[in-house]
Amino acid sequence: MNELSVNHLLGIKHLNINDLNLIFKTADHFKEVINRSIKKVPSLRDITIANLFFENSTRTKLSFELAEKRLSADVINFSSSQSSVKKGETLIDTVNNILSMKVDMVVLRHPNPGAAELLATNVDATIINAGDGANEHPTQALLDSYSMREKLGDLKNKNILIVGDISHSRVALSNIYALQLQGANVMVCGPKTLIPKYLHKLGVLVEHDFLKALKWCNVVNMLRLQNERMTDSFFPSVREYVQQYGLTSDILNSLDKDIYIMHPGPINRGVEISSDVADSKNSIILDQVENGVAIRMSIIYLLAQKKPLNK
Amino acid sequence: MSKNIILNDKEIDIILQRLACQLIENHQDFSNSILIGLQPRGKSLLNRIVQILTQTYNISELNYGLLDITFYRDDFRRNEKILEANTTDNLQVEGKNVVFIDDVLFTGRTIRAALTAVETFGRPSNIELLTLIDRRFSRHLPIQPDYRGRQIDVYDNQKVVVDWDKETRKDCVYIINKV
């Protein structure tokens, strides 16, 4: 198979295992390209991409922009804080105005779950979801899986642990879908108040004892507390959270095995992960960032391929 | 579908020996040269040439590798057939004499893409082209081979196939009509 089954990347739940394998295989080639002295390919020189970020982002936005430029696409950036959205314009109106400037593809980050899906059904452009509320963040999940595969090979029957604020995390949900598609065992760990009640119905193991969970896993993905999405008090104090769920070198040293440590960023050093652990030899956090560009190049390339030029 | 065989294994072998000798004539010990097979079809021809140079002519330090041009093609989103990318080696081309190796030279567009692709690794001193089959009168671009196995005339509705048989070594080149 050399073509994606979807025309937009809205979420991992819309993909199948062949799509994942194709994305990873294509990313392998792009990873080789971005390590050459000239890191650019001309494939998308006739494509214009709009990056619409209605929420703050550093690495995702930079990573998308770099991926687009490496593919020779023309790029326009939009941030809601400097736009007419503040004047009351709807999302679809904003996007349609941008599309009338002959934009082919839209990368959308939005605080509302389902925003990418809404756009995909209402506007004539390829949509890539760069995070929609607490719903999905598919490109993060794909780069996470890709980084794990680099270290562990095939993820079938591997034990992957996701720790932290699962309730408010789009990274967790997309990772669960992606890992399960590849046959991995997934466990989530965190305070009861930060783990959705229904999660076990997805076939995910739920554990509240952090040390027990760490002993089970091959890889731990530490998530940040999404304070900006918390409307209530979910744990007594940050200090207590750190004591129970903060990853430190003391805890890692107490395990009788090595595990890989991941974090989607931004890291709150000293909260979910200590500084020495984040910078340790088993940390693959910077690999994730590097792989993010290759994965996003792969996705943009494969989606562009689905839209042939009118002859 | 009928095959019109234009070269059999013995003829191909003689041509490959000649091409190898021509390369030696221009590149001597190959110390400042690199042979680059263009993926996917140039891979087998590269392997045969390398085999002859190293085993028959004892060229000891031969630089060679593979280059994939998929991301540099000029027909992305224009071609109904979706092309899969292949592996590219880490090519050291800076200041080197590069020889592209491909089985059939047709429109010249693959070579144009390869010229762009190879520059992403550095600036070669010069670039030559070796091809087993040169389809005459079919070029879309001003590109010609420096080393040519056999020049042939083929109608537009025909395809030239180079069949490298790894097990029996009964290689052949034939022409078929496109469906």
Side-chain angles (χ1 to χ4, degrees):
Chain A
M1 206 195 75
N2 53 10
E3 198 179 33
L4 290 178
S5 66
V6 292
N7 293 321
H8 309 274
L9 181 66
L10 305 177
I12 302 290
K13 63 173 176 269
H14 301 291
L15 302 180
N16 59 45
I17 186 65
N18 292 332
D19 292 326
L20 260 62
N21 288 334
L22 178 63
I23 290 167
F24 295 146
K25 194 176 159 199
T26 310
D28 284 342
H29 298 304
F30 281 123
K31 190 164 179 185
E32 181 271 312
V33 168
I34 59 178
N35 280 297
R36 296 182 194 172
S37 48
I38 295 177
K39 298 161 177 57
K40 222 169 155 136
V41 299
S43 305
L44 266 67
R45 60 194 162 189
D46 49 6
I47 288 212
T48 306
I49 303 177
N51 296 320
L52 311 188
F53 279 71
F54 292 84
E55 261 190 347
N56 293 335
S57 166
T58 308
R59 87 209 67 239
T60 305
K61 194 174 172 185
L62 282 177
S63 180
F64 263 112
E65 192 171 342
L66 197 57
E68 291 152 4
K69 288 179 172 171
R70 297 272 192 254
L71 289 165
S72 300
D74 288 319
V75 179
I76 53 172
N77 288 306
F78 165 98
S79 139
S80 61
S81 58
Q82 304 146 10
S83 74
S84 294
V85 173
K86 295 272 180 213
K87 300 175 192 168
E89 192 171 59
T90 67
L91 173 63
I92 293 174
D93 279 343
T94 303
V95 174
N96 271 328
N97 274 285
I98 292 167
L99 291 182
S100 59
M101 298 174 205
K102 310 293 177 205
V103 168
D104 305 284
M105 199 178 277
V106 172
V107 175
L108 179 74
R109 168 165 287 192
H110 202 278
N112 294 339
E117 206 146 348
L118 177 79
L119 270 197
T121 49
N122 284 284
V123 303
D124 181 24
T126 302
I127 308 296
I128 298 177
N129 183 3
D132 58 337
N135 181 30
E136 282 224 41
H137 191 349
T139 57
Q140 180 69 46
L142 289 165
L143 74 90
D144 286 348
S145 283
Y146 186 77
S147 305
M148 290 180 218
R149 288 163 68 112
E150 276 189 335
K151 298 293 176 191
L152 299 173
D154 190 354
L155 296 185
K156 195 171 170 61
N157 296 326
K158 298 290 188 313
N159 295 339
I160 315 299
L161 174 65
I162 306 171
V163 180
D165 181 1
I166 312 297
S167 284
H168 301 95
S169 170
R170 50 195 173 212
V171 174
L173 192 58
S174 287
N175 257 292
I176 290 168
Y177 289 140
L179 292 166
Q180 288 186 334
L181 264 181
Q182 296 165 85
N185 307 313
V186 186
M187 181 186 279
V188 296
C189 180
K192 279 184 182 170
T193 47
L194 291 177
I195 294 182
K197 277 183 191 167
Y198 59 84
L199 208 61
H200 63 278
K201 289 187 179 171
L202 291 177
V204 173
L205 300 165
V206 178
E207 178 59 63
H208 302 293
D209 182 333
F210 189 33
L211 186 60
K212 210 169 154 188
L214 284 171
K215 285 179 178 167
W216 172 85
C217 72
N218 303 110
V219 178
V220 58
N221 198 350
M222 301 300 297
L223 303 183
R224 172 180 73 88
L225 292 172
Q226 307 257 326
N227 292 316
E228 71 277 19
R229 288 187 222 287
M230 291 188 191
T231 51
D232 233 325
S233 183
F234 289 89
F235 44 86
S237 68
V238 171
R239 191 173 166 189
E240 193 172 320
Y241 179 85
V242 173
Q243 278 176 351
Q244 285 200 41
Y245 295 103
L247 187 63
T248 62
S249 50
D250 287 346
I251 299 172
L252 284 176
N253 291 338
S254 73
L255 304 175
D256 56 357
K257 60 175 184 177
D258 277 349
I259 58 173
Y260 290 108
I261 295 137
M262 302 177 67
H263 194 301
I267 299 174
N268 290 319
R269 287 174 185 258
V271 182
E272 67 271 8
I273 189 167
S274 68
S275 249
D276 55 342
V277 172
D279 302 329
S280 67
K281 66 176 171 51
N282 284 347
S283 161
I284 55 169
I285 296 170
L286 292 178
D287 296 26
Q288 289 174 266
V289 179
E290 186 191 349
N291 290 337
V293 178
I295 280 286
R296 290 181 174 110
M297 286 176 80
S298 165
I299 289 159
I300 294 166
Y301 178 86
L302 291 168
L303 285 174
Q305 200 174 46
K306 296 278 291 187
K307 229 181 163 185
L309 271 182
N310 294 328
K311 287 183 181 167
Chain B
M1 196 183 299
S2 66
K3 289 181 186 175
N4 177 15
I5 294 181
I6 51 173
L7 289 176
N8 62 29
D9 58 326
K10 284 185 183 136
E11 291 166 320
I12 290 175
D13 194 45
I14 292 166
I15 287 172
L16 294 184
Q17 297 289 340
R18 169 173 54 83
L19 291 172
C21 290
Q22 287 177 327
L23 283 172
I24 294 168
E25 200 176 358
N26 288 344
H27 294 265
Q28 286 88 43
D29 63 354
F30 290 82
S31 58
N32 197 40
S33 301
I34 177 167
L35 307 182
I36 298 180
L38 303 184
Q39 290 270 35
R41 304 287 312 172
K43 185 179 175 181
S44 300
L45 179 57
L46 171 74
N47 289 339
R48 292 294 165 89
I49 297 276
V50 167
Q51 197 176 25
I52 295 168
L53 289 173
T54 53
Q55 292 178 9
T56 311
Y57 296 99
N58 301 321
I59 307 288
S60 53
E61 289 180 25
L62 189 61
N63 301 308
Y64 59 94
L66 295 168
L67 176 67
D68 183 69
I69 55 107
T70 307
F71 301 134
Y72 300 86
R73 294 176 65 97
D74 60 3
D75 59 354
F76 181 64
R77 305 201 300 139
R78 289 170 173 81
N79 196 339
E80 282 177 13
K81 189 180 164 199
I82 292 176
L83 298 155
E84 268 186 68
N86 291 289
T87 315
T88 289
D89 294 322
N90 185 14
L91 303 166
Q92 305 295 325
V93 301
E94 187 71 35
K96 293 270 171 64
N97 301 311
V98 169
V99 183
F100 285 156
I101 294 184
D102 204 2
D103 62 353
V104 180
L105 177 60
F106 181 26
T107 63
R109 287 177 187 267
T110 297
I111 307 304
R112 187 218 56 79
L115 289 166
T116 311
V118 79
E119 285 187 348
T120 61
F121 289 97
R123 185 175 182 270
S125 172
N126 63 61
I127 301 176
E128 293 178 316
L129 172 61
L130 180 151
T131 178
L132 180 64
I133 302 294
D134 172 16
R135 283 183 65 156
R136 201 156 58 141
F137 307 129
S138 61
R139 218 74 78 238
H140 294 180
L141 301 166
I143 286 170
Q144 301 301 336
D146 299 282
Y147 310 92
R148 124 181 348 113
R150 177 69 62 86
Q151 193 170 51
I152 59 168
D153 296 340
V154 181
Y155 291 116
D156 280 348
N157 65 346
Q158 292 179 316
K159 188 178 178 189
V160 181
V161 180
V162 181
D163 194 356
W164 302 102
D165 194 320
K166 283 178 192 159
E167 288 173 11
T168 63
R169 297 294 295 262
K170 293 280 180 196
D171 308 326
C172 68
V173 179
Y174 58 87
I175 298 171
I176 51 170
N177 289 321
K178 286 183 192 167
V179 182

